[in-house]
Amino acid sequence: MNKIQRQITLSDEHAGERLDQALAKIWADYSRSTLTEWIKKEYITVNGLPSRPRTKVAGGEEVLLDATLDVQTQNKAEDIVLDIIAEDDEIIVINKPAGLIVHPGAGRPSGTLLNALLHHCPTLNTLSRAGIVHRLDKDTTGLLVIAKTPTAHHSLIQQLQARTVKRTYLALVYGELISGGTTDLPIGRHPKQRQKMAINTTGKSAVTHFRIEKKFPDFTLLKVQLETGRTHQIRVHMTHIKHPLVGDQTYGRLYLPKGASEPLKAALKQFKRQALHAYQLAFIHPTTNEETLFTAPLPEDFVALMEQL
């Protein structure tokens, strides 16, 4: 059994909001559905009394969270090798390989990064999503930071919400770009293909900055920085500006340039994942308050493809 205890005073800025909505903003490491369930179970009290999720906040209320979680109902720990870049008492920074899913989900209850983290550090079972505060697509490689304590978890969530975490990617795209730029277009679920995302006027704000890192005939290596973190953001934005990522099986298609060598053609055909690597991650350390910067080298398959260019 694991205990989760937190106490806050609701500020006036939340006045008029529903209790579950206000708490979802404050305790962003827990989903609103989880907080709603806890309110109904009376794990969360307001001024010492039970409340309801839709109760309006006035400001100044004392909110206490006192929840007991049954660890046995949580995800199982699995001995999966992790490429750990750095670790201390508060955080773990890993270099995720291609093919590793971050969270368990429908059809994939095990074999994920979360399962690996629970084996590496069993105390993570006391944190929401085992301390994972952001994610990468299954076939995107690179850096992720994981919180090991409630303090670190809260700090990293706040930094992500404030957009002060700097996430920089290397992306190999089709076509020869003339210059860098910014794509500021909202992203939401595709209206017809529900497994895909798309530019959608009713979607969430999404801002992607990119600049040219290196030019090749028919291809460009880009350095991409995210201001927001929407699902498939880089892949959707780059496809929208007619420069899809090499190897993207969802948003792009195989393109073999005229005059390409046979080894290059073979390399392109064999590269069946998006050529996207989260190579740099910067944030403020939760306890030292110092800016930290981590880098991860390109994976071997990405390097081999680049050599053919």
Side-chain angles (χ1 to χ4, degrees), residues 232-264:
H232 300 175
Q233 179 173 322
I234 295 174
R235 300 164 66 187
V236 172
H237 274 171
M238 297 315 299
T239 298
H240 180 77
I241 65 171
K242 310 301 182 184
H243 292 284
L245 271 66
V246 172
D248 196 329
Q249 305 294 298
T250 301
Y251 298 100
R253 61 181 180 83
L254 177 63
Y255 169 69
L256 301 176
K258 292 181 179 180
S261 66
E262 290 305 316
L264 175 56

PDB file of all heavy atoms in Angstrom, residues 232-264:
ATOM      1  N   HIS A 232       2.540  13.871 -31.876  1.00  0.00           N
ATOM      2  CA  HIS A 232       3.012  13.856 -33.268  1.00  0.00           C
ATOM      3  C   HIS A 232       3.278  15.263 -33.816  1.00  0.00           C
ATOM      4  O   HIS A 232       3.253  15.477 -35.027  1.00  0.00           O
ATOM      5  CB  HIS A 232       2.000  13.153 -34.181  1.00  0.00           C
ATOM      6  CG  HIS A 232       1.729  11.735 -33.825  1.00  0.00           C
ATOM      7  ND1 HIS A 232       0.779  10.972 -34.478  1.00  0.00           N
ATOM      8  CD2 HIS A 232       2.281  10.922 -32.877  1.00  0.00           C
ATOM      9  CE1 HIS A 232       0.753   9.760 -33.950  1.00  0.00           C
ATOM     10  NE2 HIS A 232       1.652   9.700 -32.981  1.00  0.00           N
ATOM     11  N   GLN A 233       3.566  16.219 -32.947  1.00  0.00           N
ATOM     12  CA  GLN A 233       3.638  17.621 -33.364  1.00  0.00           C
ATOM     13  C   GLN A 233       4.615  17.869 -34.511  1.00  0.00           C
ATOM     14  O   GLN A 233       4.252  18.475 -35.530  1.00  0.00           O
ATOM     15  CB  GLN A 233       4.011  18.502 -32.173  1.00  0.00           C
ATOM     16  CG  GLN A 233       4.126  19.986 -32.532  1.00  0.00           C
ATOM     17  CD  GLN A 233       4.325  20.863 -31.322  1.00  0.00           C
ATOM     18  OE1 GLN A 233       3.745  20.621 -30.276  1.00  0.00           O
ATOM     19  NE2 GLN A 233       5.161  21.896 -31.446  1.00  0.00           N
ATOM     20  N   ILE A 234       5.863  17.439 -34.359  1.00  0.00           N
ATOM     21  CA  ILE A 234       6.858  17.694 -35.406  1.00  0.00           C
ATOM     22  C   ILE A 234       6.452  17.005 -36.696  1.00  0.00           C
ATOM     23  O   ILE A 234       6.544  17.583 -37.791  1.00  0.00           O
ATOM     24  CB  ILE A 234       8.253  17.222 -34.949  1.00  0.00           C
ATOM     25  CG1 ILE A 234       8.731  18.059 -33.746  1.00  0.00           C
ATOM     26  CG2 ILE A 234       9.261  17.324 -36.096  1.00  0.00           C
ATOM     27  CD1 ILE A 234      10.026  17.560 -33.137  1.00  0.00           C
ATOM     28  N   ARG A 235       5.987  15.780 -36.585  1.00  0.00           N
ATOM     29  CA  ARG A 235       5.617  14.997 -37.768  1.00  0.00           C
ATOM     30  C   ARG A 235       4.463  15.660 -38.529  1.00  0.00           C
ATOM     31  O   ARG A 235       4.482  15.742 -39.770  1.00  0.00           O
ATOM     32  CB  ARG A 235       5.242  13.580 -37.344  1.00  0.00           C
ATOM     33  CG  ARG A 235       6.389  12.859 -36.652  1.00  0.00           C
ATOM     34  CD  ARG A 235       5.933  11.639 -35.888  1.00  0.00           C
ATOM     35  NE  ARG A 235       5.428  10.608 -36.788  1.00  0.00           N
ATOM     36  CZ  ARG A 235       4.833   9.495 -36.354  1.00  0.00           C
ATOM     37  NH1 ARG A 235       4.662   9.285 -35.053  1.00  0.00           N
ATOM     38  NH2 ARG A 235       4.404   8.606 -37.231  1.00  0.00           N
ATOM     39  N   VAL A 236       3.465  16.145 -37.804  1.00  0.00           N
ATOM     40  CA  VAL A 236       2.317  16.792 -38.442  1.00  0.00           C
ATOM     41  C   VAL A 236       2.708  18.124 -39.060  1.00  0.00           C
ATOM     42  O   VAL A 236       2.355  18.435 -40.200  1.00  0.00           O
ATOM     43  CB  VAL A 236       1.171  16.984 -37.417  1.00  0.00           C
ATOM     44  CG1 VAL A 236       0.051  17.841 -38.009  1.00  0.00           C
ATOM     45  CG2 VAL A 236       0.609  15.632 -36.992  1.00  0.00           C
ATOM     46  N   HIS A 237       3.463  18.933 -38.312  1.00  0.00           N
ATOM     47  CA  HIS A 237       3.847  20.251 -38.822  1.00  0.00           C
ATOM     48  C   HIS A 237       4.751  20.153 -40.049  1.00  0.00           C
ATOM     49  O   HIS A 237       4.580  20.889 -41.028  1.00  0.00           O
ATOM     50  CB  HIS A 237       4.542  21.057 -37.723  1.00  0.00           C
ATOM     51  CG  HIS A 237       3.588  21.804 -36.846  1.00  0.00           C
ATOM     52  ND1 HIS A 237       3.979  22.436 -35.691  1.00  0.00           N
ATOM     53  CD2 HIS A 237       2.249  22.040 -36.953  1.00  0.00           C
ATOM     54  CE1 HIS A 237       2.934  23.028 -35.121  1.00  0.00           C
ATOM     55  NE2 HIS A 237       1.878  22.789 -35.868  1.00  0.00           N
ATOM     56  N   MET A 238       5.723  19.251 -40.020  1.00  0.00           N
ATOM     57  CA  MET A 238       6.623  19.143 -41.159  1.00  0.00           C
ATOM     58  C   MET A 238       5.904  18.583 -42.388  1.00  0.00           C
ATOM     59  O   MET A 238       6.200  18.984 -43.524  1.00  0.00           O
ATOM     60  CB  MET A 238       7.835  18.282 -40.804  1.00  0.00           C
ATOM     61  CG  MET A 238       8.716  18.852 -39.684  1.00  0.00           C
ATOM     62  SD  MET A 238       9.084  20.629 -39.828  1.00  0.00           S
ATOM     63  CE  MET A 238       9.941  20.672 -41.401  1.00  0.00           C
ATOM     64  N   THR A 239       4.978  17.679 -42.189  1.00  0.00           N
ATOM     65  CA  THR A 239       4.179  17.174 -43.318  1.00  0.00           C
ATOM     66  C   THR A 239       3.332  18.294 -43.901  1.00  0.00           C
ATOM     67  O   THR A 239       3.186  18.412 -45.125  1.00  0.00           O
ATOM     68  CB  THR A 239       3.284  16.010 -42.862  1.00  0.00           C
ATOM     69  OG1 THR A 239       4.114  14.937 -42.403  1.00  0.00           O
ATOM     70  CG2 THR A 239       2.410  15.497 -44.005  1.00  0.00           C
ATOM     71  N   HIS A 240       2.798  19.139 -43.029  1.00  0.00           N
ATOM     72  CA  HIS A 240       1.938  20.238 -43.485  1.00  0.00           C
ATOM     73  C   HIS A 240       2.698  21.209 -44.381  1.00  0.00           C
ATOM     74  O   HIS A 240       2.131  21.742 -45.351  1.00  0.00           O
ATOM     75  CB  HIS A 240       1.361  20.982 -42.282  1.00  0.00           C
ATOM     76  CG  HIS A 240       0.464  22.124 -42.664  1.00  0.00           C
ATOM     77  ND1 HIS A 240      -0.836  21.945 -43.109  1.00  0.00           N
ATOM     78  CD2 HIS A 240       0.686  23.466 -42.692  1.00  0.00           C
ATOM     79  CE1 HIS A 240      -1.366  23.111 -43.378  1.00  0.00           C
ATOM     80  NE2 HIS A 240      -0.469  24.055 -43.133  1.00  0.00           N
ATOM     81  N   ILE A 241       3.985  21.447 -44.101  1.00  0.00           N
ATOM     82  CA  ILE A 241       4.761  22.385 -44.929  1.00  0.00           C
ATOM     83  C   ILE A 241       5.467  21.657 -46.084  1.00  0.00           C
ATOM     84  O   ILE A 241       6.395  22.184 -46.685  1.00  0.00           O
ATOM     85  CB  ILE A 241       5.772  23.191 -44.095  1.00  0.00           C
ATOM     86  CG1 ILE A 241       6.844  22.278 -43.486  1.00  0.00           C
ATOM     87  CG2 ILE A 241       5.056  23.984 -42.997  1.00  0.00           C
ATOM     88  CD1 ILE A 241       7.986  23.042 -42.834  1.00  0.00           C
ATOM     89  N   LYS A 242       5.007  20.417 -46.352  1.00  0.00           N
ATOM     90  CA  LYS A 242       5.470  19.642 -47.521  1.00  0.00           C
ATOM     91  C   LYS A 242       6.896  19.129 -47.370  1.00  0.00           C
ATOM     92  O   LYS A 242       7.591  18.900 -48.366  1.00  0.00           O
ATOM     93  CB  LYS A 242       5.353  20.467 -48.815  1.00  0.00           C
ATOM     94  CG  LYS A 242       3.992  21.113 -49.019  1.00  0.00           C
ATOM     95  CD  LYS A 242       2.861  20.102 -49.055  1.00  0.00           C
ATOM     96  CE  LYS A 242       1.525  20.794 -49.316  1.00  0.00           C
ATOM     97  NZ  LYS A 242       0.371  19.841 -49.253  1.00  0.00           N
ATOM     98  N   HIS A 243       7.336  18.934 -46.135  1.00  0.00           N
ATOM     99  CA  HIS A 243       8.655  18.353 -45.877  1.00  0.00           C
ATOM    100  C   HIS A 243       8.519  17.260 -44.810  1.00  0.00           C
ATOM    101  O   HIS A 243       9.015  17.416 -43.679  1.00  0.00           O
ATOM    102  CB  HIS A 243       9.650  19.423 -45.427  1.00  0.00           C
ATOM    103  CG  HIS A 243      10.002  20.409 -46.494  1.00  0.00           C
ATOM    104  ND1 HIS A 243      10.856  20.104 -47.539  1.00  0.00           N
ATOM    105  CD2 HIS A 243       9.594  21.695 -46.695  1.00  0.00           C
ATOM    106  CE1 HIS A 243      10.966  21.173 -48.333  1.00  0.00           C
ATOM    107  NE2 HIS A 243      10.211  22.140 -47.845  1.00  0.00           N
ATOM    108  N   PRO A 244       7.843  16.161 -45.154  1.00  0.00           N
ATOM    109  CA  PRO A 244       7.639  15.096 -44.165  1.00  0.00           C
ATOM    110  C   PRO A 244       8.942  14.443 -43.742  1.00  0.00           C
ATOM    111  O   PRO A 244       9.954  14.498 -44.456  1.00  0.00           O
ATOM    112  CB  PRO A 244       6.736  14.107 -44.909  1.00  0.00           C
ATOM    113  CG  PRO A 244       7.016  14.354 -46.353  1.00  0.00           C
ATOM    114  CD  PRO A 244       7.268  15.829 -46.466  1.00  0.00           C
ATOM    115  N   LEU A 245       8.920  13.819 -42.574  1.00  0.00           N
ATOM    116  CA  LEU A 245      10.103  13.147 -42.064  1.00  0.00           C
ATOM    117  C   LEU A 245      10.385  11.876 -42.861  1.00  0.00           C
ATOM    118  O   LEU A 245       9.468  11.134 -43.215  1.00  0.00           O
ATOM    119  CB  LEU A 245       9.924  12.782 -40.589  1.00  0.00           C
ATOM    120  CG  LEU A 245      10.347  13.852 -39.579  1.00  0.00           C
ATOM    121  CD1 LEU A 245       9.456  15.084 -39.671  1.00  0.00           C
ATOM    122  CD2 LEU A 245      10.339  13.288 -38.172  1.00  0.00           C
ATOM    123  N   VAL A 246      11.653  11.652 -43.130  1.00  0.00           N
ATOM    124  CA  VAL A 246      12.062  10.412 -43.789  1.00  0.00           C
ATOM    125  C   VAL A 246      11.646   9.234 -42.916  1.00  0.00           C
ATOM    126  O   VAL A 246      11.829   9.253 -41.692  1.00  0.00           O
ATOM    127  CB  VAL A 246      13.590  10.400 -44.012  1.00  0.00           C
ATOM    128  CG1 VAL A 246      14.049   9.028 -44.506  1.00  0.00           C
ATOM    129  CG2 VAL A 246      13.989  11.496 -44.994  1.00  0.00           C
ATOM    130  N   GLY A 247      11.081   8.214 -43.534  1.00  0.00           N
ATOM    131  CA  GLY A 247      10.724   6.993 -42.832  1.00  0.00           C
ATOM    132  C   GLY A 247       9.401   7.014 -42.113  1.00  0.00           C
ATOM    133  O   GLY A 247       8.981   5.987 -41.557  1.00  0.00           O
ATOM    134  N   ASP A 248       8.710   8.162 -42.092  1.00  0.00           N
ATOM    135  CA  ASP A 248       7.448   8.254 -41.357  1.00  0.00           C
ATOM    136  C   ASP A 248       6.379   7.409 -42.048  1.00  0.00           C
ATOM    137  O   ASP A 248       5.931   7.724 -43.149  1.00  0.00           O
ATOM    138  CB  ASP A 248       6.995   9.712 -41.257  1.00  0.00           C
ATOM    139  CG  ASP A 248       5.927   9.925 -40.194  1.00  0.00           C
ATOM    140  OD1 ASP A 248       5.133   9.000 -39.961  1.00  0.00           O
ATOM    141  OD2 ASP A 248       5.895  11.016 -39.603  1.00  0.00           O
ATOM    142  N   GLN A 249       5.951   6.351 -41.370  1.00  0.00           N
ATOM    143  CA  GLN A 249       4.993   5.420 -41.953  1.00  0.00           C
ATOM    144  C   GLN A 249       3.554   5.907 -41.852  1.00  0.00           C
ATOM    145  O   GLN A 249       2.662   5.371 -42.503  1.00  0.00           O
ATOM    146  CB  GLN A 249       5.101   4.059 -41.255  1.00  0.00           C
ATOM    147  CG  GLN A 249       6.495   3.453 -41.270  1.00  0.00           C
ATOM    148  CD  GLN A 249       6.962   3.086 -42.664  1.00  0.00           C
ATOM    149  OE1 GLN A 249       6.362   2.244 -43.322  1.00  0.00           O
ATOM    150  NE2 GLN A 249       8.028   3.726 -43.119  1.00  0.00           N
ATOM    151  N   THR A 250       3.325   6.938 -41.037  1.00  0.00           N
ATOM    152  CA  THR A 250       1.960   7.432 -40.817  1.00  0.00           C
ATOM    153  C   THR A 250       1.662   8.688 -41.612  1.00  0.00           C
ATOM    154  O   THR A 250       0.587   8.827 -42.202  1.00  0.00           O
ATOM    155  CB  THR A 250       1.740   7.716 -39.315  1.00  0.00           C
ATOM    156  OG1 THR A 250       1.960   6.504 -38.579  1.00  0.00           O
ATOM    157  CG2 THR A 250       0.307   8.205 -39.056  1.00  0.00           C
ATOM    158  N   TYR A 251       2.608   9.625 -41.661  1.00  0.00           N
ATOM    159  CA  TYR A 251       2.345  10.922 -42.282  1.00  0.00           C
ATOM    160  C   TYR A 251       3.103  11.138 -43.593  1.00  0.00           C
ATOM    161  O   TYR A 251       2.910  12.160 -44.241  1.00  0.00           O
ATOM    162  CB  TYR A 251       2.694  12.045 -41.301  1.00  0.00           C
ATOM    163  CG  TYR A 251       1.861  12.003 -40.045  1.00  0.00           C
ATOM    164  CD1 TYR A 251       2.361  11.452 -38.864  1.00  0.00           C
ATOM    165  CD2 TYR A 251       0.557  12.505 -40.029  1.00  0.00           C
ATOM    166  CE1 TYR A 251       1.596  11.405 -37.711  1.00  0.00           C
ATOM    167  CE2 TYR A 251      -0.211  12.464 -38.871  1.00  0.00           C
ATOM    168  CZ  TYR A 251       0.316  11.913 -37.719  1.00  0.00           C
ATOM    169  OH  TYR A 251      -0.451  11.859 -36.587  1.00  0.00           O
ATOM    170  N   GLY A 252       3.973  10.239 -43.944  1.00  0.00           N
ATOM    171  CA  GLY A 252       4.747  10.408 -45.164  1.00  0.00           C
ATOM    172  C   GLY A 252       4.671   9.169 -46.045  1.00  0.00           C
ATOM    173  O   GLY A 252       3.879   8.258 -45.821  1.00  0.00           O
ATOM    174  N   ARG A 253       5.513   9.141 -47.040  1.00  0.00           N
ATOM    175  CA  ARG A 253       5.605   7.968 -47.918  1.00  0.00           C
ATOM    176  C   ARG A 253       7.031   7.882 -48.439  1.00  0.00           C
ATOM    177  O   ARG A 253       7.784   8.857 -48.420  1.00  0.00           O
ATOM    178  CB  ARG A 253       4.622   8.079 -49.095  1.00  0.00           C
ATOM    179  CG  ARG A 253       4.857   9.276 -49.999  1.00  0.00           C
ATOM    180  CD  ARG A 253       3.833   9.333 -51.128  1.00  0.00           C
ATOM    181  NE  ARG A 253       4.055  10.487 -51.997  1.00  0.00           N
ATOM    182  CZ  ARG A 253       4.918  10.524 -52.995  1.00  0.00           C
ATOM    183  NH1 ARG A 253       5.666   9.460 -53.258  1.00  0.00           N
ATOM    184  NH2 ARG A 253       5.056  11.605 -53.743  1.00  0.00           N
ATOM    185  N   LEU A 254       7.407   6.708 -48.893  1.00  0.00           N
ATOM    186  CA  LEU A 254       8.753   6.502 -49.404  1.00  0.00           C
ATOM    187  C   LEU A 254       8.972   7.294 -50.682  1.00  0.00           C
ATOM    188  O   LEU A 254       8.155   7.251 -51.598  1.00  0.00           O
ATOM    189  CB  LEU A 254       8.994   5.015 -49.676  1.00  0.00           C
ATOM    190  CG  LEU A 254      10.346   4.650 -50.293  1.00  0.00           C
ATOM    191  CD1 LEU A 254      11.482   5.008 -49.340  1.00  0.00           C
ATOM    192  CD2 LEU A 254      10.387   3.167 -50.653  1.00  0.00           C
ATOM    193  N   TYR A 255      10.064   8.042 -50.718  1.00  0.00           N
ATOM    194  CA  TYR A 255      10.417   8.814 -51.906  1.00  0.00           C
ATOM    195  C   TYR A 255      11.868   8.509 -52.253  1.00  0.00           C
ATOM    196  O   TYR A 255      12.767   8.636 -51.412  1.00  0.00           O
ATOM    197  CB  TYR A 255      10.241  10.313 -51.645  1.00  0.00           C
ATOM    198  CG  TYR A 255      10.840  11.190 -52.720  1.00  0.00           C
ATOM    199  CD1 TYR A 255      10.287  11.243 -53.998  1.00  0.00           C
ATOM    200  CD2 TYR A 255      11.973  11.959 -52.454  1.00  0.00           C
ATOM    201  CE1 TYR A 255      10.844  12.037 -54.989  1.00  0.00           C
ATOM    202  CE2 TYR A 255      12.544  12.764 -53.429  1.00  0.00           C
ATOM    203  CZ  TYR A 255      11.971  12.792 -54.697  1.00  0.00           C
ATOM    204  OH  TYR A 255      12.526  13.577 -55.681  1.00  0.00           O
ATOM    205  N   LEU A 256      12.104   8.081 -53.473  1.00  0.00           N
ATOM    206  CA  LEU A 256      13.449   7.787 -53.945  1.00  0.00           C
ATOM    207  C   LEU A 256      13.849   8.844 -54.971  1.00  0.00           C
ATOM    208  O   LEU A 256      13.314   8.871 -56.083  1.00  0.00           O
ATOM    209  CB  LEU A 256      13.502   6.390 -54.570  1.00  0.00           C
ATOM    210  CG  LEU A 256      13.094   5.226 -53.651  1.00  0.00           C
ATOM    211  CD1 LEU A 256      13.106   3.920 -54.425  1.00  0.00           C
ATOM    212  CD2 LEU A 256      14.010   5.152 -52.436  1.00  0.00           C
ATOM    213  N   PRO A 257      14.756   9.734 -54.623  1.00  0.00           N
ATOM    214  CA  PRO A 257      15.141  10.822 -55.537  1.00  0.00           C
ATOM    215  C   PRO A 257      15.730  10.286 -56.842  1.00  0.00           C
ATOM    216  O   PRO A 257      16.369   9.229 -56.857  1.00  0.00           O
ATOM    217  CB  PRO A 257      16.190  11.595 -54.732  1.00  0.00           C
ATOM    218  CG  PRO A 257      15.995  11.185 -53.322  1.00  0.00           C
ATOM    219  CD  PRO A 257      15.494   9.787 -53.360  1.00  0.00           C
ATOM    220  N   LYS A 258      15.535  11.025 -57.889  1.00  0.00           N
ATOM    221  CA  LYS A 258      16.148  10.660 -59.169  1.00  0.00           C
ATOM    222  C   LYS A 258      17.667  10.720 -59.028  1.00  0.00           C
ATOM    223  O   LYS A 258      18.211  11.654 -58.457  1.00  0.00           O
ATOM    224  CB  LYS A 258      15.692  11.619 -60.269  1.00  0.00           C
ATOM    225  CG  LYS A 258      14.207  11.499 -60.633  1.00  0.00           C
ATOM    226  CD  LYS A 258      13.845  12.461 -61.745  1.00  0.00           C
ATOM    227  CE  LYS A 258      12.369  12.329 -62.115  1.00  0.00           C
ATOM    228  NZ  LYS A 258      11.986  13.282 -63.208  1.00  0.00           N
ATOM    229  N   GLY A 259      18.331   9.731 -59.571  1.00  0.00           N
ATOM    230  CA  GLY A 259      19.778   9.701 -59.518  1.00  0.00           C
ATOM    231  C   GLY A 259      20.348   9.192 -58.216  1.00  0.00           C
ATOM    232  O   GLY A 259      21.572   9.198 -58.029  1.00  0.00           O
ATOM    233  N   ALA A 260      19.472   8.761 -57.286  1.00  0.00           N
ATOM    234  CA  ALA A 260      19.970   8.251 -56.001  1.00  0.00           C
ATOM    235  C   ALA A 260      20.757   6.963 -56.229  1.00  0.00           C
ATOM    236  O   ALA A 260      20.400   6.139 -57.070  1.00  0.00           O
ATOM    237  CB  ALA A 260      18.799   7.997 -55.056  1.00  0.00           C
ATOM    238  N   SER A 261      21.827   6.783 -55.475  1.00  0.00           N
ATOM    239  CA  SER A 261      22.642   5.580 -55.595  1.00  0.00           C
ATOM    240  C   SER A 261      21.859   4.375 -55.085  1.00  0.00           C
ATOM    241  O   SER A 261      20.905   4.513 -54.307  1.00  0.00           O
ATOM    242  CB  SER A 261      23.927   5.730 -54.785  1.00  0.00           C
ATOM    243  OG  SER A 261      23.633   5.789 -53.395  1.00  0.00           O
ATOM    244  N   GLU A 262      22.276   3.196 -55.486  1.00  0.00           N
ATOM    245  CA  GLU A 262      21.601   1.980 -55.033  1.00  0.00           C
ATOM    246  C   GLU A 262      21.712   1.811 -53.517  1.00  0.00           C
ATOM    247  O   GLU A 262      20.735   1.438 -52.864  1.00  0.00           O
ATOM    248  CB  GLU A 262      22.144   0.760 -55.776  1.00  0.00           C
ATOM    249  CG  GLU A 262      21.762   0.711 -57.245  1.00  0.00           C
ATOM    250  CD  GLU A 262      20.259   0.795 -57.471  1.00  0.00           C
ATOM    251  OE1 GLU A 262      19.517   0.111 -56.727  1.00  0.00           O
ATOM    252  OE2 GLU A 262      19.837   1.539 -58.361  1.00  0.00           O
ATOM    253  N   PRO A 263      22.886   2.084 -52.907  1.00  0.00           N
ATOM    254  CA  PRO A 263      22.961   1.995 -51.441  1.00  0.00           C
ATOM    255  C   PRO A 263      22.009   2.971 -50.744  1.00  0.00           C
ATOM    256  O   PRO A 263      21.426   2.631 -49.714  1.00  0.00           O
ATOM    257  CB  PRO A 263      24.429   2.347 -51.143  1.00  0.00           C
ATOM    258  CG  PRO A 263      25.162   1.951 -52.380  1.00  0.00           C
ATOM    259  CD  PRO A 263      24.230   2.285 -53.507  1.00  0.00           C
ATOM    260  N   LEU A 264      21.847   4.186 -51.291  1.00  0.00           N
ATOM    261  CA  LEU A 264      20.917   5.142 -50.694  1.00  0.00           C
ATOM    262  C   LEU A 264      19.488   4.649 -50.825  1.00  0.00           C
ATOM    263  O   LEU A 264      18.702   4.730 -49.870  1.00  0.00           O
ATOM    264  CB  LEU A 264      21.066   6.520 -51.347  1.00  0.00           C
ATOM    265  CG  LEU A 264      20.056   7.589 -50.880  1.00  0.00           C
ATOM    266  CD1 LEU A 264      20.108   7.761 -49.368  1.00  0.00           C
ATOM    267  CD2 LEU A 264      20.312   8.920 -51.583  1.00  0.00           C
TER     268      LEU A 264
END
